[in-house]
Amino acid sequence: MSKIPYRTYLEEGEMPKSWYNVKVDMKEQHDPFLHPGTKQPLGAKDLEAIFCSELCAQEVNMTDRFIEIPPEIAEYYLTYRPSPLIRAYNLEKELDTPARIYFKFEGNNTSGSHKLNSAAAQVYYAKKQGLTGLTTETGAGQWGTALSMACAYFGIDLTVFMVKVSSQQKPYRKAVMETYGAKVIASPSTTTEVGRSILEKDPDTGGSLGCAISEAIELSMSSDSIRYVLGSVLDHVVLHQSVIGLEAKAAMEKIGEYPDIIIGCAGGGSNLGGLMAPFMGDKLTGKANPYFIAVEPASCPSLTRGKYAYDFGDVGRTTPLIKMYTLGSGFMPSANHAGGLRYHGMSPIMSKLYHDGYLDEARAVEQTAVFEAATLFAKHETILPAPESAHAIKIAIDEGLKCKESGEKKTILVGLSGTGYFDMQAYMSYTDKTMSDGIPSDEDLAPGLAEMEE
Ligand SMILES: *Cc1c(COP(=O)(O)O)cnc(C)c1O
């Protein structure tokens, strides 16, 4: 066989025509959402006041293994997909490892991450339902950017509540969203009741993700033609992100490869959930047995140190109760630059797979080690990775070095979820050595964990 290329792409005709719904092949389903007051299970109908109908249906779908990607979404995907499968020849050489390391790179679109895969789907269904507007929150800005691109394309209004400190620290993110026509409001704002009451108590607050979520939900409830959208955690987001895994699997088949190890970073769990989905399907149905590793920051270790319990999805405690690995909805991670990994909980699908032993392992890594890996990767593979993605790179390097020790020629597939162009402040603090790791002590975690029942 001729040499495997640096980059393997799919032809247009080889692109996935459906998303893969891993829940159909799971031996047991995760527990349902519960109403926070009555503690009764919630169905699709109960969620329709907040989310658009088709997404509610997808959220609870446990019967359709494949769900067709509507042609309009497939066509939008063609503007930036397929994403490349990259053989990391240079990194392998640097590590002197017999392992073959592949990265699936999702940063080649203007939003800079995989989040556009679900944004496109969510906006399309909202438009089809005849809604006139969407609203969401954004912290670091990746989700708001992806959504503003999709809203511009499909023609629907978008209001983004951006955590005030982030909108001040990341003016370029805000500018990109505004370029695509989104209305960006620094949160807390005077446009909502919850925002006004927070400002009354603390006029100088920099805001929080929890507050921005509460403002976005309040706006969505104010009109029947506006809905709230979420960029991670939920089952329908993992479903849309399966396009990453399906493409990766098809590309690997083209070059005669199949991964022994699959590694990804996990914030809310959507990029790893999507990358691993079809391979997890193989594992669940006994066709293959790849080893899955989720990587999280030591500063926000929901899988490695959290509790598998019912908890709220937001700090404001407005969402339904979700059964997941969580550090408690009040958990505030110390300043950590990987903004996309600062979430107290984890996708219910990923949580269930981890709890039942199908997602084999979770590892927490420290930030300085992550940036060391990011810098090494950038120098050898030419791509400047997002800090979130660099968590996965760090573990890929560790596994590559293990293969060097053992001489095993393993095939390693890694999720490279985004580009780091918008995170140069974080790279600067690594370079000038002001970066710290901020790992919570057991005493720090105890109060949040104690609040939840098993
Ligand atoms: C948002 C984000 C993440 C974390 O979210 P998941 O839902 O866990 O995928 C990871 N990487 C990048 C680049 C992101 O923007």
Side-chain angles (χ1 to χ4, degrees):
M1 191 173 173
S2 60
K3 188 179 155 183
I4 290 167
Y6 274 98
R7 292 186 172 216
T8 302
Y9 289 96
L10 299 178
E11 303 296 328
E12 195 175 317
E14 298 169 326
M15 301 266 288
K17 301 206 166 31
S18 306
W19 294 299
Y20 166 62
N21 182 7
V22 71
K23 287 197 284 185
V24 175
D25 288 314
M26 284 170 67
K27 308 285 180 234
E28 279 178 33
Q29 297 302 321
H30 64 72
D31 295 315
F33 294 142
L34 299 183
H35 187 283
T38 65
K39 304 271 161 80
Q40 290 303 304
L42 296 177
K45 280 273 167 277
D46 303 304
L47 301 171
E48 286 185 5
I50 311 176
F51 299 110
C52 101
S53 318
E54 189 63 38
L55 298 172
C56 296
Q58 290 180 353
E59 188 64 22
V60 299
N61 188 327
M62 296 161 211
T63 47
D64 297 311
R65 183 171 280 111
F66 290 99
I67 295 175
E68 192 205 343
I69 302 173
E72 293 87 347
I73 300 174
E75 209 165 299
Y76 185 61
Y77 279 173
L78 283 178
T79 67
Y80 69 98
R81 308 199 68 82
S83 70
L85 179 76
I86 299 168
R87 172 80 187 267
Y89 280 113
N90 303 320
L91 182 67
E92 290 169 18
K93 200 164 149 199
E94 170 66 16
L95 300 177
D96 190 22
T97 176
R100 293 188 298 279
I101 307 177
Y102 293 91
F103 287 88
K104 178 72 171 159
F105 182 44
E106 291 293 317
N108 267 343
N109 66 74
T110 297
S111 80
S113 82
H114 65 285
K115 289 196 174 70
L116 194 53
N117 301 330
S118 185
Q122 296 195 40
V123 171
Y124 166 78
Y125 289 122
K127 180 78 182 178
K128 201 173 149 210
Q129 191 177 325
L131 301 174
T132 57
L134 290 173
T135 180
T136 196
E137 79 289 339
T138 200
Q142 291 106 322
W143 172 239
T145 309
L147 205 54
S148 65
M149 290 174 68
C151 283
Y153 179 83
F154 287 107
I156 197 163
D157 290 341
L158 174 65
T159 306
V160 179
F161 289 92
M162 186 171 192
V163 178
K164 193 183 277 173
V165 281
S166 304
S167 71
Q168 289 160 352
Q169 286 168 356
K170 298 193 162 187
Y172 295 142
R173 273 284 180 197
K174 181 167 179 271
V176 178
M177 288 184 259
E178 287 172 342
T179 301
Y180 284 93
K183 184 170 165 193
V184 183
I185 301 176
S187 167
S189 75
T190 54
T191 67
T192 65
E193 227 164 86
V194 56
R196 285 190 293 273
S197 88
I198 289 170
L199 284 173
E200 216 163 88
K201 281 181 219 122
D202 185 2
D204 298 322
T205 178
S208 70
L209 207 52
C211 170
I213 293 175
S214 304
E215 287 203 278
I217 292 180
E218 185 180 323
L219 175 60
S220 72
M221 301 297 257
S222 74
S223 157
D224 203 33
S225 57
I226 301 179
R227 291 291 185 284
Y228 172 70
V229 282
L230 196 61
S232 182
V233 182
L234 299 175
D235 294 6
H236 65 261
V237 182
V238 175
L239 172 74
H240 305 149
Q241 296 299 353
S242 70
V243 69
I244 305 172
L246 292 162
E247 276 186 17
K249 194 162 182 244
M252 290 191 96
E253 269 163 24
K254 271 178 87 152
I255 53 175
E257 285 277 33
Y258 192 92
D260 299 302
I261 306 176
I262 295 165
I263 302 169
C265 67
S270 74
N271 88 85
L272 175 58
L275 175 70
M276 72 183 206
F279 301 102
M280 181 58 80
D282 286 351
K283 186 166 182 133
L284 291 164
T285 55
K287 290 191 193 110
N289 192 22
Y291 190 84
F292 299 102
I293 308 175
V295 191
E296 57 186 16
S299 60
C300 193
S302 47
L303 285 172
T304 51
R305 293 172 72 194
K307 199 172 186 175
Y308 189 45
Y310 269 110
D311 191 14
F312 291 96
D314 66 326
V315 193
R317 303 188 158 202
T318 51
T319 69
L321 289 164
I322 306 168
K323 181 79 176 279
M324 60 184 173
Y325 278 88
T326 171
L327 297 164
S329 59
F331 179 74
M332 274 290 167
S334 73
N336 180 307
H337 294 290
L341 303 182
R342 289 174 55 114
Y343 185 62
H344 67 275
M346 181 56 61
S347 132
I349 291 179
M350 298 291 278
S351 291
K352 178 70 177 162
L353 288 168
Y354 182 58
H355 184 257
D356 292 352
Y358 295 102
L359 167 53
D360 297 276
E361 196 187 335
R363 283 187 212 169
V365 290
E366 295 181 19
Q367 189 166 224
T368 39
V370 164
F371 276 83
E372 196 182 327
T375 307
L376 183 81
F377 180 82
K379 283 175 182 163
H380 293 282
E381 291 299 331
T382 74
I383 292 171
L384 184 80
E388 291 89 352
S389 323
H391 287 68
I393 295 174
K394 158 72 181 134
I395 296 302
I397 290 173
D398 288 354
E399 291 300 310
L401 291 173
K402 264 193 215 164
C403 289
K404 180 186 176 183
E405 292 276 306
S406 67
E408 285 173 288
K409 294 191 175 106
K410 287 193 176 161
T411 300
I412 302 174
L413 173 62
V414 192
L416 189 58
S417 53
T419 166
Y421 285 153
F422 288 106
D423 299 282
M424 294 324 293
Q425 198 64 46
Y427 276 90
M428 277 160 70
S429 75
Y430 172 69
T431 311
D432 67 20
K433 298 196 166 49
T434 54
M435 177 173 277
S436 62
D437 285 321
I439 301 165
S441 67
D442 288 344
E443 289 72 41
D444 294 336
L445 294 182
L449 295 176
E451 267 182 27
M452 296 168 295
E453 294 157 30
E454 290 287 339

